[in-house]
Structures are given as structure tokens and as C-alpha cells.
Amino acid sequence: MASSLMLVAQGLLGLLLLGLWLLLVAASLHVLRLGLWALRHPVENVQPPPIDEAALPKVTVQLPMRNERLVAARAIGAACALDWPRQRLQIQVLDDSDPTDETVRIVDAEVARHQLAGFDIAVVRRPDRRSFKAGHLDFALPLASGDFVAVLDVDFVPAPDFLRRLLPVLVAEPQLAFVQGRWSFLNESESLLLTVQALILHGLFLVEQSYLSAQKQPVQFNGSGGVWRTEALRRAGGFVGPETNHAASVTEDLDLSYRVRLLGYQSLTLPSVAVPTELPERMAAFRSQQKRWVRGGAQVLRSLLGKLLAPG
């Protein structure tokens, strides 16, 4: 009896190992196919379609941050340096910092300085940190006056032409919920860990998302470095999502990407538009980031699986 059970267990283990090997082979072939496609389709510096200066839309830039005293002023300065008419640019600094953190003083001083220079910029603080970054984006959304909302995390440093490169595409194609650039990295050459992280993410942006965008297939929002159509955001229930049918996710960007897709919207990554940012410099921070992304993907799958299998 014991030997029979052992044989059954060994058989099941063998089937499991075979399944894992088949998955590995399938994944490898998929990566190889995408890599060959990328070699045949190098990134080109695509020029945006022309847009009438007199018809430039109002844009709201959201800058979420928490306890980021070292980069808060840089982020605010980069947002104010965007090449867009001041009367059509609103900047919301979403400061979730602890009241005693130095970031609060830095943010208030920088915002006041840019207000005196004529910018439509304000600090948005809230009484609690419910739903973290996504909750703060939603908290500020009713105050957003723009037809489009650009999301830039505090460690991102967009070029002045960031909006000029993305907005014309979004304006010209009403079915697009968002257009985003790819991430580039300010510190990728500083250590082996950072170089490996950059290689992984370059594969995502320059290969996978480039391929999906070229084939007009859906891509996920990467959380920062993109511009949303405000109407699409509100129709989808915002960054957190409707409380009645939404399970909280730590990767609100992935969850929102699926929700707008279910509403019939398209999405696009423009690999020719690089948005500089910084990679986690410590292994602990990198592991925490990867753990959060994996857990968030599982949460999104659990909460939206039924709708994805039977949309509508």
C-alpha cells in the first residue's frame, strides 16, 4: 500500500515538473519571438501629429509624494518647466507626508514660490492615507480642472516636451484612455543591481509594450509617466475603483488598466518618449517592489476575473 502511494506521489510530482518545464519553454519561446520582433522594429523618434496651439486642452498634472524631501523640489520644478501654456496647466502636489517630515516645509515653500511666478499650482493634503497613492489621486480628482490628467511620481523628471509629445496622440484618438512614455533611468549604471533592474524594465517597455502597442493590443498603465483622458478616469471609477465591485489592490495602475479596457477604451505606450526616473538602489527595496507587483497582480486577477472572462 505504501509503495503504491509513493508511486502515485512520484507520478504527480513528475507531471507537475513536466508542466513547469512546458511553461518555461512556452515563456522562453514568447520572449524569443518578442525579441526578434524588436530587432526588426527599432524604436523610431515618431513625431506627434500637429495640434492647433489655439485649441490646446487644459491639462492637470498630479504629483503624488510622501516623505520625499530629497526630490520634492525637483519634481515640482520639472512640472512647472513643462512646455504648455500656463493658463491651460494646473499642477496638483499631492503631499501625503507625515506632518513632522521636512517634505512638508519644502513643498509649501516651492509651491508658494511658483504661485508667485504665475503658475496654477496648489498643495492637496487629506485627513488620512486611505488607499495610499491611488486614494490620494482620487481625492484630488474632483479638484482637477483639466480635460486630461498627467501622473508623475516624485522621482520622475519629464523633459519639457513631455506633454507636447503625448497629448496630440491622445487628442487625435478619442478611443484612447491613456498614452504613456517609457521609463528611462538616471542611475542604471551605478551598480550591477541597478543595471539588472534596468535590463528587465527595458525589456518590458522597449519590447513587450512596444509590440503590444504596435499591434493595437491593450497595455497596462505603468503608474507614472503617462497622460489620462479625464472622462475615461471618471467613467472607470477613478484610480481606486467603485467600492461596490472592487477589491483593493496594491497595483492600482494594473487594476485601472483592465477597468478602462472593459469600458471599450484603448491604451498606448510610445517607446520614443523616454521619461527619466530612478531605480531602487537597495536590494531590500527592489525585493519589496517586486513582491508588491506580484501580489497586486494576483489581487487584480481575483477581483476582475469574472468580468475579464465574461465582459459585459
Side-chain angles (χ1 to χ4, degrees):
M1 182 67 177
S3 60
S4 298
L5 290 175
M6 183 174 297
L7 288 173
V8 171
Q10 289 176 343
L12 292 175
L13 180 59
L15 288 174
L16 177 61
L17 290 174
L18 177 61
L20 291 175
W21 274 108
L22 290 174
L23 285 175
L24 179 61
V25 170
S28 299
L29 291 174
H30 176 65
V31 171
L32 177 61
R33 180 172 65 89
L34 291 182
L36 292 173
W37 177 90
L39 288 174
R40 296 194 302 268
H41 299 82
V43 174
E44 298 179 356
N45 189 18
V46 179
Q47 294 300 315
I51 185 170
D52 183 4
E53 287 288 317
L56 290 177
K58 181 76 175 286
V59 178
T60 296
V61 178
Q62 292 190 325
L63 304 176
M65 62 182 71
R66 179 175 185 265
N67 297 347
E68 296 283 1
R69 61 184 178 83
L70 297 179
V71 292
R74 184 184 70 179
I76 294 170
C80 291
L82 291 171
D83 180 17
W84 206 255
R86 288 192 187 181
Q87 68 274 20
R88 297 173 188 169
L89 182 67
Q90 177 195 30
I91 300 171
Q92 296 180 324
V93 183
L94 314 185
D95 183 23
D96 251 351
S97 301
D98 298 329
T100 57
D101 191 86
E102 182 70 7
T103 306
V104 173
R105 184 194 64 78
I106 294 171
V107 165
D108 288 345
E110 286 297 306
V111 168
R113 184 168 69 85
H114 285 95
Q115 285 175 339
L116 288 175
F119 287 93
D120 179 5
I121 182 171
V123 184
V124 180
R125 295 191 175 99
R126 55 183 181 153
D128 59 67
R129 296 189 60 242
R130 186 178 307 169
S131 299
F132 307 106
K133 170 187 168 183
H136 208 167
L137 293 170
D138 276 350
F139 182 83
L141 191 58
L143 306 175
S145 57
D147 298 315
F148 300 92
V149 174
V151 180
L152 293 165
D153 285 353
V154 69
D155 52 347
F156 279 68
V157 190
D161 66 351
F162 169 73
L163 295 177
R164 295 274 179 177
R165 300 285 299 280
L166 296 183
L167 255 299
V169 179
L170 201 51
V171 170
E173 301 186 32
Q175 78 279 12
L176 284 173
F178 68 84
V179 175
Q180 61 188 350
R182 65 174 174 89
W183 298 1
S184 62
F185 307 106
L186 298 167
N187 58 344
E188 66 177 289
S189 61
E190 294 181 6
S191 72
L192 178 60
L193 172 63
L194 295 172
T195 300
V196 171
Q197 290 183 62
L199 285 173
I200 295 171
L201 291 171
H202 284 322
L204 170 65
F205 302 128
L206 291 171
V207 179
E208 183 178 20
Q209 290 196 350
S210 294
Y211 173 82
L212 293 173
S213 293
Q215 302 299 317
K216 299 190 181 302
Q217 297 182 25
V219 296
Q220 77 166 76
F221 183 59
N222 296 319
S224 180
V227 184
W228 278 88
R229 190 179 304 277
T230 307
E231 178 189 6
L233 270 177
R234 288 175 172 152
R235 284 191 61 199
F239 288 90
V240 175
E243 294 182 1
T244 56
N245 61 3
H246 176 71
S249 169
V250 296
T251 51
E252 76 290 334
D253 41 17
L254 177 61
D255 182 85
L256 176 57
S257 302
Y258 280 124
R259 283 188 275 121
V260 294
R261 179 65 178 179
L262 291 170
L263 291 173
Y265 285 101
Q266 304 294 319
S267 51
L268 182 67
T269 296
L270 292 181
S272 60
V273 180
V275 190
T277 183
E278 293 177 332
L279 292 160
E281 296 185 355
R282 298 180 180 275
M283 177 60 77
F286 173 62
R287 290 170 56 189
S288 175
Q289 178 195 69
Q290 297 302 305
K291 181 180 179 180
R292 185 175 69 252
W293 287 355
V294 171
R295 186 171 80 246
Q299 291 172 340
V300 171
L301 182 62
R302 183 176 65 245
S303 65
L304 294 177
L305 182 60
K307 288 188 175 183
L308 292 172
L309 294 177

